[in-house]
Amino acid sequence: MNQAASLVHRNLAPVDLVIIAVYFVIVFAIGFYFARKERTSTDYFLASRDVGWFFIGASLFVSNISTEHFIGLSGTGASSGLAVGHFEWLACLILLILGWVFVPFYLRTNVFTMPEFLERRFSRQCAVYLAVISIIAYIFTKISVQLYAASVVLERVAGWSLWKTAVVLVVATGIYTIAGGLAAVIYTDTVQTLILITGAVALTLIGLHRVGGLEHLRTMVPPDYFHMIKPTSDPNFPWTGIFFGAPILGIWYWCTDQVIVQRVLSARDEGHAKAGTIFAGFLKILPVFMLVLPGIIAFALFPEQVKKPDFAYPTLVLNLLPTGLVGLVMAALLAAVMGAMSSVFNSASTLVTLDFYKKIRPAASEAQLVNFGRIATGFMVLLGLLWVPFIHYISSQLYIYLQSVQAYISPPISACFVLGIVWPRLNGSGAISSLLTGFVLGATRFVLELTDRATGGHFASPMVRWIIDMNFLHYAIFMFVVCSVVLVGVSLMTPAPDRKKLAGLTFATVDDKMETTVVDTRQRKPAHETAAEHRINVIFSVLLLATVIGLWIYFR
């Protein structure tokens, strides 16, 4: 039953190389088609605000699913089973929160960026903090991890070296992203979503056939592999951390992060924006079956090869796929990394340009704005490449590394956005105090954990050990509570904000008339949701909610 997997790479057959080449041609063709059409900053950064729900949902999905999901979800699946899929199914529900709670505020205030929204609600300092921390997060948890994960697969499967692969992917992605802006990113994302799902599902079905079906697979792995609800003592996925801590990360990632929200801001109207988030929610059900499940299959078939969990997915590609399908899955992996990286590049460009450069040089022309963003993006990519060698210090399981780093930066941001739209009394002093408190708490844990792993666990102090050894999701809960207390406490001790300035920014002031002292030439605000759109969105939201709850009950 346990077949010996080849440790050497496969030489890609001509048909595989042709499939990969066709993929690149399609992506570049879309990029340069939109490069001819882009004119203003609205066109470049928000795709002319004319994108439909299907493309928004596909772009949300592929902006999120990258090679670190292929490597990390399958690797963690191989080492501990389905439980890592909680992050995917929770995302289905968080996407509903994005669509129903946050999207109306973002579209009605006509913002381009998340720091811009935070600046209107609280203060300029909060906007600067969010923009800076977002760019740092892109380097630590997006660009570098995506490049590392892509390189692991391509080196393992095709023998391509890590650094050469990383450079080629960055250059190729940068070309069509810089050329075509957000429209190119979103429409290439749609192609990449179709390729990604096709390739990943093909591998899952072949793997299930090889192990004799799902029921037989259950007999080949430890029984707890198919139980998602873990006890509070579980080191990685305690149910308390999953259901109380993971949503804090989810709200930051899905509802306040520029890379994700920028897709929704490009919607032609509020109804399409909501529908896009619901469609993305349905797509997020899939990764458990097309990425986590293959990891369990790899553990069952090739236990020797998956002792290093990150090798689970490449091992399946090497040993199960026939010629032709290897090219399709490699194209899917390239689609995943390029789709996610292009999203980051475009959003980073938006943040740097509109939240910094435009503030410093308000008279800058449209061309100057776009060119400055391109230069800054190139610098960020370089920093991402430099970080790659240090990733293995955090966790051998890439996906847990990614989630744990996000757990250190997300709680104060989630607290400010959630409480900020709920309670008008909160002010800029409370918000910046909360953000800085969260930064200190997160940085302390991050530095202590890195040092402890690098030195073999030399910290003996009970207090330091408590900080390091606490599950990262429990630490996120601790940070969220502390940051919320600071936000409320400092706000109550300082003057209340002017209600006129809160028009459209909180539930209590959502219908207040906004001040329009400056004529905004960017473009019209997206239209409100129609009655028909509302009915359809409600029906599919309920269906998505019922599906996810049903899956949790089945795999409990």
Side-chain angles (χ1 to χ4, degrees):
M1 186 198 308
N2 293 336
Q3 304 159 25
S6 168
L7 294 176
V8 297
H9 64 266
R10 284 171 75 152
N11 289 319
L12 295 180
V15 66
D16 296 316
L17 293 171
V18 167
I19 289 170
I20 293 170
V22 168
Y23 158 73
F24 273 105
V25 168
I26 292 171
V27 167
F28 282 123
I30 294 171
F32 287 107
Y33 171 76
F34 284 101
R36 291 176 22 241
K37 301 180 73 172
E38 305 301 343
R39 291 293 177 267
T40 67
S41 58
T42 302
D43 295 332
Y44 190 83
F45 294 119
L46 289 185
S48 309
R49 280 192 159 147
D50 190 34
V51 181
W53 65 269
F54 183 87
F55 300 104
I56 292 170
S59 186
L60 284 168
F61 180 72
V62 88
S63 298
N64 165 245
I65 295 288
S66 184
T67 35
E68 80 268 9
H69 285 72
F70 279 82
I71 297 300
L73 284 178
S74 58
T76 309
S79 59
S80 60
L82 284 182
V84 69
H86 275 302
F87 293 108
E88 303 305 300
W89 289 348
L90 273 169
C92 304
L93 309 186
I94 305 293
L95 276 159
L96 291 179
I97 295 174
L98 169 62
W100 288 99
V101 178
F102 287 96
V103 158
F105 287 111
Y106 295 156
L107 294 185
R108 288 170 197 174
T109 51
N110 214 27
V111 294
F112 264 41
T113 70
M114 292 299 92
E116 185 183 354
F117 181 84
L118 214 55
E119 180 173 357
R120 290 195 194 182
R121 174 60 186 89
F122 291 117
S123 67
R124 175 64 186 158
Q125 294 118 304
C126 296
V128 170
Y129 174 89
L130 181 59
V132 170
I133 214 76
S134 296
I135 290 168
I136 292 171
Y138 296 159
I139 295 165
F140 281 143
T141 71
K142 286 191 166 71
I143 294 175
S144 56
V145 183
Q146 288 156 8
L147 290 174
Y148 175 80
S151 302
V152 166
V153 180
L154 298 171
E155 187 172 35
R156 179 91 171 140
V157 174
W160 301 348
S161 76
L162 189 147
W163 282 102
K164 286 178 186 171
T165 302
V167 170
V168 168
L169 286 172
V170 168
V171 171
T173 308
I175 287 171
Y176 79 79
T177 308
I178 289 169
L182 186 65
V185 172
I186 285 179
Y187 291 108
T188 52
D189 280 355
T190 305
V191 173
Q192 286 160 336
T193 297
L194 298 173
I195 294 171
L196 192 158
I197 292 174
T198 305
V201 168
L203 183 57
T204 301
L205 293 175
I206 290 169
L208 280 174
H209 176 72
R210 182 67 70 90
V211 296
L214 189 62
E215 290 308 312
H216 190 248
L217 177 62
R218 284 177 181 264
T219 67
M220 300 169 70
V221 298
D224 66 332
Y225 266 44
F226 280 89
H227 292 292
M228 293 188 74
I229 310 296
K230 303 289 187 182
T232 55
S233 57
D234 187 83
N236 292 325
F237 309 109
W239 72 267
T240 45
I242 289 295
F243 290 109
F244 297 106
I248 296 169
L249 279 67
I251 286 173
W252 165 73
Y253 180 84
W254 290 103
C255 302
T256 74
D257 184 50
Q258 184 68 25
V259 168
I260 295 300
V261 178
Q262 194 165 338
R263 273 107 206 88
V264 180
L265 298 181
S266 68
R268 63 176 56 129
D269 63 41
E270 206 172 294
H272 276 270
K274 273 186 195 169
T277 64
I278 297 163
F279 177 46
F282 279 104
L283 291 176
K284 284 295 285 180
I285 293 171
L286 297 176
V288 172
F289 301 108
M290 67 184 200
L291 298 177
V292 183
L293 193 59
I296 300 176
I297 294 169
F299 173 80
L301 288 176
F302 311 106
E304 291 303 311
Q305 276 64 45
V306 298
K307 283 183 177 173
K308 185 170 183 185
D310 290 352
F311 282 175
Y313 206 85
T315 298
L316 285 188
V317 174
L318 272 170
N319 290 277
L320 297 188
L321 290 183
T323 298
L325 273 179
V326 173
L328 182 64
V329 171
M330 295 294 276
L333 288 160
L334 292 169
V337 70
M338 291 173 67
M341 276 203 306
S342 66
S343 302
V344 173
F345 291 170
N346 185 259
S347 296
S349 156
T350 307
L351 285 177
V352 172
T353 307
L354 300 181
D355 287 301
F356 291 113
Y357 184 70
K358 193 171 183 184
K359 297 285 183 184
I360 297 165
R361 292 195 58 195
S365 69
E366 298 282 318
Q368 287 172 323
L369 293 178
V370 173
N371 288 335
F372 182 83
R374 289 170 175 164
I375 294 165
T377 302
F379 183 68
M380 242 182 66
V381 171
L382 178 62
L383 291 177
L385 284 171
L386 295 175
W387 174 247
V388 170
F390 298 99
I391 290 173
H392 67 275
Y393 282 125
I394 294 283
S395 174
S396 62
Q397 294 176 38
L398 195 57
Y399 197 69
I400 297 178
Y401 156 77
L402 185 65
Q403 298 297 340
S404 63
V405 173
Q406 291 177 352
Y408 308 148
I409 60 178
S410 58
I413 298 169
S414 294
C416 286
F417 271 87
V418 172
L419 298 179
I421 63 171
V422 169
W423 194 13
R425 178 63 182 81
L426 302 178
N427 62 22
S429 300
I432 194 64
S433 302
S434 174
L435 291 170
L436 293 175
T437 301
F439 178 78
V440 170
L441 289 173
T444 300
R445 161 86 182 223
F446 185 64
V447 170
L448 288 176
E449 188 178 5
L450 264 183
T451 309
D452 193 55
R453 287 180 186 274
T455 56
H458 79 288
F459 288 115
S461 161
M463 181 67 182
V464 175
R465 287 252 61 94
W466 179 81
I467 293 174
I468 294 172
D469 295 336
M470 187 192 304
N471 176 272
F472 70 92
L473 293 171
H474 289 159
Y475 194 74
I477 299 170
F478 166 71
M479 282 180 63
F480 185 81
V481 171
V482 172
C483 293
S484 298
V485 169
V486 170
L487 173 58
V488 172
V490 174
S491 292
L492 292 177
M493 289 188 289
T494 49
D498 181 1
R499 186 177 171 106
K500 284 183 186 171
K501 290 195 161 69
L502 298 183
L505 297 168
T506 72
F507 284 113
T509 60
V510 71
D511 293 322
D512 291 7
K513 187 169 174 59
M514 289 186 221
E515 292 180 345
T516 52
T517 50
V518 179
V519 176
D520 193 341
T521 59
R522 294 176 190 177
Q523 209 180 12
R524 60 170 180 81
K525 291 183 193 176
H528 288 310
E529 186 180 31
T530 65
E533 286 175 338
H534 183 77
R535 279 194 300 275
I536 294 169
N537 286 339
V538 168
I539 291 167
F540 280 99
S541 294
V542 171
L543 184 61
L544 176 58
L545 192 62
T547 304
V548 173
I549 292 171
L551 286 167
W552 262 322
I553 292 170
Y554 182 78
F555 288 108
R556 66 188 183 281

